[in-house]
Amino acid sequence: MALNERLNKFRQQQERCQTTLFSIAANQASILMPKVAPGIRPANAPYASVKPLQPIKFSDDTQRLQHINSIRKSTVGAQMKLVIDLLYKTRQVFTAEQINEATYVDIHGSKALFDSLRNNSKVKLDGRHFSYKPTHVLTGRDQLYNLIKNQEYGIAVEELKDAYPSVLEDLQALKASGDVWWLSGTNSQEDTAHFNDPRFRITVDSDLKQLFRGTELPRDMLDIEKELKKIGEKPLTDTAKRRALAEISGAASKSKSKARKKQRGITSRTRLTNRHLPELFENLST
């Protein structure tokens, strides 16, 4: 009985959709038809039979409707990604209705989605308008240069990547011109940009360069810190403390892992597949 009711409801929905699509097509056709008074035929107009409008079938739009339905039923995180990608790529301001037209994400249809977007660090909500919120608001190469110039210890390239679409190209240009140093780390997330102060652009003798390159440093940071202390310099790192904390954290994580891996004994709720061997279950715990 419940299945028949659902089928009837689905058929009614199809009929309503067909009626709506047919009315839309009829309205469009009436707009395109020339305005002629009834009973008056334009001069030299050929007598031709008027073809009846073909109704739009509901199945013609099934694929698009299925796509919309899949988006609406996806997780909040998946819908957020669609919205943020749109804001990031276009760098334009959108209303919720415009976002719905572009991505089929109905922001006002889900309170959880609206709250997540409103509280997201990369989304700016100004009244009814949504836009992308970069880590640093920059508009071009000059502002990028001034930002790097004012960073005493440099700035992570990762923080600059979303400033504006061509920011990495401008950073490469500043590097090529010698205005900025782009230092690479072990991975791209550790890259930093530093201001190349013209006051310190000096010529270094080749002998000094050779001496610098030929000086072998200890491989262990503990030894480097000891050498710095010997000459009266205070190291900025504390390797011994860091390693001790790492050992404590590692021991704690190992103990948790062992506790999780500890096997439980056979209980009365265990699924038994060898009932033909009753001697295996003499010590069955409850």
PDB file of all heavy atoms in Angstrom, residues 23-48:
ATOM      1  N   SER A  23       4.101  25.070 -20.090  1.00  0.00           N
ATOM      2  CA  SER A  23       3.708  26.484 -19.994  1.00  0.00           C
ATOM      3  C   SER A  23       4.876  27.403 -20.277  1.00  0.00           C
ATOM      4  O   SER A  23       4.721  28.450 -20.907  1.00  0.00           O
ATOM      5  CB  SER A  23       3.129  26.763 -18.610  1.00  0.00           C
ATOM      6  OG  SER A  23       4.100  26.547 -17.610  1.00  0.00           O
ATOM      7  N   ILE A  24       6.080  27.010 -19.837  1.00  0.00           N
ATOM      8  CA  ILE A  24       7.270  27.819 -20.121  1.00  0.00           C
ATOM      9  C   ILE A  24       7.518  27.877 -21.616  1.00  0.00           C
ATOM     10  O   ILE A  24       7.795  28.937 -22.198  1.00  0.00           O
ATOM     11  CB  ILE A  24       8.492  27.245 -19.382  1.00  0.00           C
ATOM     12  CG1 ILE A  24       8.323  27.422 -17.865  1.00  0.00           C
ATOM     13  CG2 ILE A  24       9.775  27.929 -19.846  1.00  0.00           C
ATOM     14  CD1 ILE A  24       9.396  26.733 -17.050  1.00  0.00           C
ATOM     15  N   ALA A  25       7.418  26.719 -22.283  1.00  0.00           N
ATOM     16  CA  ALA A  25       7.633  26.684 -23.736  1.00  0.00           C
ATOM     17  C   ALA A  25       6.585  27.506 -24.468  1.00  0.00           C
ATOM     18  O   ALA A  25       6.879  28.202 -25.444  1.00  0.00           O
ATOM     19  CB  ALA A  25       7.608  25.234 -24.228  1.00  0.00           C
ATOM     20  N   ALA A  26       5.340  27.438 -23.996  1.00  0.00           N
ATOM     21  CA  ALA A  26       4.272  28.206 -24.634  1.00  0.00           C
ATOM     22  C   ALA A  26       4.498  29.709 -24.482  1.00  0.00           C
ATOM     23  O   ALA A  26       4.288  30.485 -25.416  1.00  0.00           O
ATOM     24  CB  ALA A  26       2.927  27.802 -24.040  1.00  0.00           C
ATOM     25  N   ASN A  27       4.949  30.122 -23.308  1.00  0.00           N
ATOM     26  CA  ASN A  27       5.223  31.548 -23.074  1.00  0.00           C
ATOM     27  C   ASN A  27       6.349  32.037 -23.964  1.00  0.00           C
ATOM     28  O   ASN A  27       6.310  33.136 -24.520  1.00  0.00           O
ATOM     29  CB  ASN A  27       5.554  31.786 -21.608  1.00  0.00           C
ATOM     30  CG  ASN A  27       4.340  31.590 -20.704  1.00  0.00           C
ATOM     31  OD1 ASN A  27       3.214  31.753 -21.155  1.00  0.00           O
ATOM     32  ND2 ASN A  27       4.583  31.251 -19.442  1.00  0.00           N
ATOM     33  N   GLN A  28       7.403  31.216 -24.087  1.00  0.00           N
ATOM     34  CA  GLN A  28       8.525  31.608 -24.944  1.00  0.00           C
ATOM     35  C   GLN A  28       8.074  31.716 -26.397  1.00  0.00           C
ATOM     36  O   GLN A  28       8.486  32.626 -27.122  1.00  0.00           O
ATOM     37  CB  GLN A  28       9.654  30.590 -24.807  1.00  0.00           C
ATOM     38  CG  GLN A  28      10.345  30.618 -23.441  1.00  0.00           C
ATOM     39  CD  GLN A  28      11.418  29.564 -23.322  1.00  0.00           C
ATOM     40  OE1 GLN A  28      11.507  28.647 -24.148  1.00  0.00           O
ATOM     41  NE2 GLN A  28      12.246  29.678 -22.302  1.00  0.00           N
ATOM     42  N   ALA A  29       7.234  30.796 -26.828  1.00  0.00           N
ATOM     43  CA  ALA A  29       6.765  30.826 -28.222  1.00  0.00           C
ATOM     44  C   ALA A  29       5.893  32.048 -28.479  1.00  0.00           C
ATOM     45  O   ALA A  29       5.969  32.676 -29.537  1.00  0.00           O
ATOM     46  CB  ALA A  29       5.992  29.545 -28.531  1.00  0.00           C
ATOM     47  N   SER A  30       5.080  32.423 -27.483  1.00  0.00           N
ATOM     48  CA  SER A  30       4.208  33.584 -27.673  1.00  0.00           C
ATOM     49  C   SER A  30       5.012  34.872 -27.737  1.00  0.00           C
ATOM     50  O   SER A  30       4.636  35.824 -28.423  1.00  0.00           O
ATOM     51  CB  SER A  30       3.195  33.647 -26.532  1.00  0.00           C
ATOM     52  OG  SER A  30       3.863  33.837 -25.288  1.00  0.00           O
ATOM     53  N   ILE A  31       6.145  34.887 -27.046  1.00  0.00           N
ATOM     54  CA  ILE A  31       6.997  36.087 -27.094  1.00  0.00           C
ATOM     55  C   ILE A  31       7.652  36.230 -28.457  1.00  0.00           C
ATOM     56  O   ILE A  31       7.798  37.321 -29.012  1.00  0.00           O
ATOM     57  CB  ILE A  31       8.057  36.008 -25.975  1.00  0.00           C
ATOM     58  CG1 ILE A  31       7.380  36.102 -24.602  1.00  0.00           C
ATOM     59  CG2 ILE A  31       9.083  37.124 -26.119  1.00  0.00           C
ATOM     60  CD1 ILE A  31       8.318  35.874 -23.436  1.00  0.00           C
ATOM     61  N   LEU A  32       8.076  35.067 -29.028  1.00  0.00           N
ATOM     62  CA  LEU A  32       8.773  35.105 -30.311  1.00  0.00           C
ATOM     63  C   LEU A  32       7.838  35.324 -31.489  1.00  0.00           C
ATOM     64  O   LEU A  32       8.267  35.756 -32.562  1.00  0.00           O
ATOM     65  CB  LEU A  32       9.554  33.794 -30.511  1.00  0.00           C
ATOM     66  CG  LEU A  32      10.677  33.534 -29.491  1.00  0.00           C
ATOM     67  CD1 LEU A  32      11.293  32.156 -29.730  1.00  0.00           C
ATOM     68  CD2 LEU A  32      11.743  34.623 -29.595  1.00  0.00           C
ATOM     69  N   MET A  33       6.545  35.034 -31.352  1.00  0.00           N
ATOM     70  CA  MET A  33       5.602  35.186 -32.473  1.00  0.00           C
ATOM     71  C   MET A  33       5.340  36.658 -32.746  1.00  0.00           C
ATOM     72  O   MET A  33       5.260  37.471 -31.816  1.00  0.00           O
ATOM     73  CB  MET A  33       4.290  34.472 -32.152  1.00  0.00           C
ATOM     74  CG  MET A  33       4.400  32.937 -32.165  1.00  0.00           C
ATOM     75  SD  MET A  33       2.820  32.176 -31.756  1.00  0.00           S
ATOM     76  CE  MET A  33       1.835  32.732 -33.139  1.00  0.00           C
ATOM     77  N   PRO A  34       5.233  37.070 -34.012  1.00  0.00           N
ATOM     78  CA  PRO A  34       4.961  38.471 -34.345  1.00  0.00           C
ATOM     79  C   PRO A  34       3.579  38.885 -33.900  1.00  0.00           C
ATOM     80  O   PRO A  34       2.642  38.102 -33.879  1.00  0.00           O
ATOM     81  CB  PRO A  34       5.098  38.512 -35.875  1.00  0.00           C
ATOM     82  CG  PRO A  34       4.815  37.095 -36.306  1.00  0.00           C
ATOM     83  CD  PRO A  34       5.360  36.216 -35.219  1.00  0.00           C
ATOM     84  N   LYS A  35       3.462  40.121 -33.503  1.00  0.00           N
ATOM     85  CA  LYS A  35       2.187  40.669 -33.050  1.00  0.00           C
ATOM     86  C   LYS A  35       1.337  41.061 -34.266  1.00  0.00           C
ATOM     87  O   LYS A  35       1.597  42.069 -34.935  1.00  0.00           O
ATOM     88  CB  LYS A  35       2.422  41.893 -32.152  1.00  0.00           C
ATOM     89  CG  LYS A  35       3.336  41.610 -30.952  1.00  0.00           C
ATOM     90  CD  LYS A  35       2.718  40.579 -30.004  1.00  0.00           C
ATOM     91  CE  LYS A  35       3.583  40.342 -28.784  1.00  0.00           C
ATOM     92  NZ  LYS A  35       3.003  39.362 -27.859  1.00  0.00           N
ATOM     93  N   VAL A  36       0.333  40.262 -34.573  1.00  0.00           N
ATOM     94  CA  VAL A  36      -0.539  40.517 -35.716  1.00  0.00           C
ATOM     95  C   VAL A  36      -1.981  40.543 -35.225  1.00  0.00           C
ATOM     96  O   VAL A  36      -2.387  39.680 -34.436  1.00  0.00           O
ATOM     97  CB  VAL A  36      -0.368  39.436 -36.808  1.00  0.00           C
ATOM     98  CG1 VAL A  36      -1.286  39.731 -37.993  1.00  0.00           C
ATOM     99  CG2 VAL A  36       1.074  39.370 -37.254  1.00  0.00           C
ATOM    100  N   ALA A  37      -2.718  41.515 -35.694  1.00  0.00           N
ATOM    101  CA  ALA A  37      -4.118  41.602 -35.275  1.00  0.00           C
ATOM    102  C   ALA A  37      -4.874  40.391 -35.772  1.00  0.00           C
ATOM    103  O   ALA A  37      -4.617  39.877 -36.860  1.00  0.00           O
ATOM    104  CB  ALA A  37      -4.758  42.884 -35.825  1.00  0.00           C
ATOM    105  N   PRO A  38      -5.851  39.911 -35.020  1.00  0.00           N
ATOM    106  CA  PRO A  38      -6.602  38.715 -35.442  1.00  0.00           C
ATOM    107  C   PRO A  38      -7.370  38.945 -36.731  1.00  0.00           C
ATOM    108  O   PRO A  38      -7.979  39.986 -36.931  1.00  0.00           O
ATOM    109  CB  PRO A  38      -7.566  38.476 -34.260  1.00  0.00           C
ATOM    110  CG  PRO A  38      -7.385  39.594 -33.318  1.00  0.00           C
ATOM    111  CD  PRO A  38      -6.279  40.441 -33.750  1.00  0.00           C
ATOM    112  N   GLY A  39      -7.296  37.959 -37.595  1.00  0.00           N
ATOM    113  CA  GLY A  39      -8.022  38.019 -38.866  1.00  0.00           C
ATOM    114  C   GLY A  39      -7.284  38.782 -39.941  1.00  0.00           C
ATOM    115  O   GLY A  39      -7.782  38.918 -41.054  1.00  0.00           O
ATOM    116  N   ILE A  40      -6.111  39.344 -39.675  1.00  0.00           N
ATOM    117  CA  ILE A  40      -5.351  40.117 -40.661  1.00  0.00           C
ATOM    118  C   ILE A  40      -4.091  39.348 -40.988  1.00  0.00           C
ATOM    119  O   ILE A  40      -3.306  39.012 -40.100  1.00  0.00           O
ATOM    120  CB  ILE A  40      -4.998  41.514 -40.127  1.00  0.00           C
ATOM    121  CG1 ILE A  40      -6.287  42.283 -39.808  1.00  0.00           C
ATOM    122  CG2 ILE A  40      -4.139  42.269 -41.120  1.00  0.00           C
ATOM    123  CD1 ILE A  40      -6.041  43.642 -39.210  1.00  0.00           C
ATOM    124  N   ARG A  41      -3.875  39.076 -42.265  1.00  0.00           N
ATOM    125  CA  ARG A  41      -2.682  38.380 -42.695  1.00  0.00           C
ATOM    126  C   ARG A  41      -1.756  39.366 -43.389  1.00  0.00           C
ATOM    127  O   ARG A  41      -2.200  40.126 -44.262  1.00  0.00           O
ATOM    128  CB  ARG A  41      -3.056  37.243 -43.666  1.00  0.00           C
ATOM    129  CG  ARG A  41      -1.864  36.378 -44.092  1.00  0.00           C
ATOM    130  CD  ARG A  41      -2.334  35.223 -44.959  1.00  0.00           C
ATOM    131  NE  ARG A  41      -2.963  35.705 -46.183  1.00  0.00           N
ATOM    132  CZ  ARG A  41      -2.280  35.968 -47.297  1.00  0.00           C
ATOM    133  NH1 ARG A  41      -0.973  35.820 -47.324  1.00  0.00           N
ATOM    134  NH2 ARG A  41      -2.913  36.386 -48.358  1.00  0.00           N
ATOM    135  N   PRO A  42      -0.504  39.412 -43.034  1.00  0.00           N
ATOM    136  CA  PRO A  42       0.428  40.321 -43.706  1.00  0.00           C
ATOM    137  C   PRO A  42       0.462  40.058 -45.198  1.00  0.00           C
ATOM    138  O   PRO A  42       0.251  38.940 -45.659  1.00  0.00           O
ATOM    139  CB  PRO A  42       1.773  39.983 -43.052  1.00  0.00           C
ATOM    140  CG  PRO A  42       1.413  39.343 -41.742  1.00  0.00           C
ATOM    141  CD  PRO A  42       0.131  38.633 -41.989  1.00  0.00           C
ATOM    142  N   ALA A  43       0.734  41.115 -45.945  1.00  0.00           N
ATOM    143  CA  ALA A  43       0.796  40.998 -47.404  1.00  0.00           C
ATOM    144  C   ALA A  43       1.888  40.040 -47.816  1.00  0.00           C
ATOM    145  O   ALA A  43       2.967  40.032 -47.244  1.00  0.00           O
ATOM    146  CB  ALA A  43       1.041  42.385 -48.013  1.00  0.00           C
ATOM    147  N   ASN A  44       1.620  39.270 -48.904  1.00  0.00           N
ATOM    148  CA  ASN A  44       2.570  38.312 -49.459  1.00  0.00           C
ATOM    149  C   ASN A  44       2.975  37.223 -48.469  1.00  0.00           C
ATOM    150  O   ASN A  44       3.982  36.559 -48.657  1.00  0.00           O
ATOM    151  CB  ASN A  44       3.835  39.025 -49.971  1.00  0.00           C
ATOM    152  CG  ASN A  44       3.505  40.046 -51.034  1.00  0.00           C
ATOM    153  OD1 ASN A  44       2.584  39.836 -51.840  1.00  0.00           O
ATOM    154  ND2 ASN A  44       4.235  41.161 -51.056  1.00  0.00           N
ATOM    155  N   ALA A  45       2.237  37.113 -47.389  1.00  0.00           N
ATOM    156  CA  ALA A  45       2.584  36.073 -46.416  1.00  0.00           C
ATOM    157  C   ALA A  45       2.095  34.738 -46.924  1.00  0.00           C
ATOM    158  O   ALA A  45       0.946  34.619 -47.364  1.00  0.00           O
ATOM    159  CB  ALA A  45       1.953  36.374 -45.060  1.00  0.00           C
ATOM    160  N   PRO A  46       2.923  33.713 -46.962  1.00  0.00           N
ATOM    161  CA  PRO A  46       2.518  32.398 -47.481  1.00  0.00           C
ATOM    162  C   PRO A  46       1.554  31.729 -46.516  1.00  0.00           C
ATOM    163  O   PRO A  46       1.617  31.926 -45.306  1.00  0.00           O
ATOM    164  CB  PRO A  46       3.836  31.623 -47.571  1.00  0.00           C
ATOM    165  CG  PRO A  46       4.706  32.257 -46.525  1.00  0.00           C
ATOM    166  CD  PRO A  46       4.315  33.713 -46.499  1.00  0.00           C
ATOM    167  N   TYR A  47       0.652  30.971 -47.147  1.00  0.00           N
ATOM    168  CA  TYR A  47      -0.262  30.201 -46.325  1.00  0.00           C
ATOM    169  C   TYR A  47       0.464  28.914 -45.901  1.00  0.00           C
ATOM    170  O   TYR A  47       0.818  28.092 -46.733  1.00  0.00           O
ATOM    171  CB  TYR A  47      -1.532  29.864 -47.111  1.00  0.00           C
ATOM    172  CG  TYR A  47      -2.413  31.060 -47.344  1.00  0.00           C
ATOM    173  CD1 TYR A  47      -2.302  31.802 -48.523  1.00  0.00           C
ATOM    174  CD2 TYR A  47      -3.342  31.458 -46.378  1.00  0.00           C
ATOM    175  CE1 TYR A  47      -3.103  32.915 -48.736  1.00  0.00           C
ATOM    176  CE2 TYR A  47      -4.149  32.561 -46.590  1.00  0.00           C
ATOM    177  CZ  TYR A  47      -4.020  33.283 -47.761  1.00  0.00           C
ATOM    178  OH  TYR A  47      -4.807  34.382 -47.972  1.00  0.00           O
ATOM    179  N   ALA A  48       0.671  28.795 -44.648  1.00  0.00           N
ATOM    180  CA  ALA A  48       1.365  27.603 -44.145  1.00  0.00           C
ATOM    181  C   ALA A  48       0.659  27.140 -42.885  1.00  0.00           C
ATOM    182  O   ALA A  48       0.193  27.949 -42.082  1.00  0.00           O
ATOM    183  CB  ALA A  48       2.835  27.914 -43.834  1.00  0.00           C
TER     184      ALA A  48
END
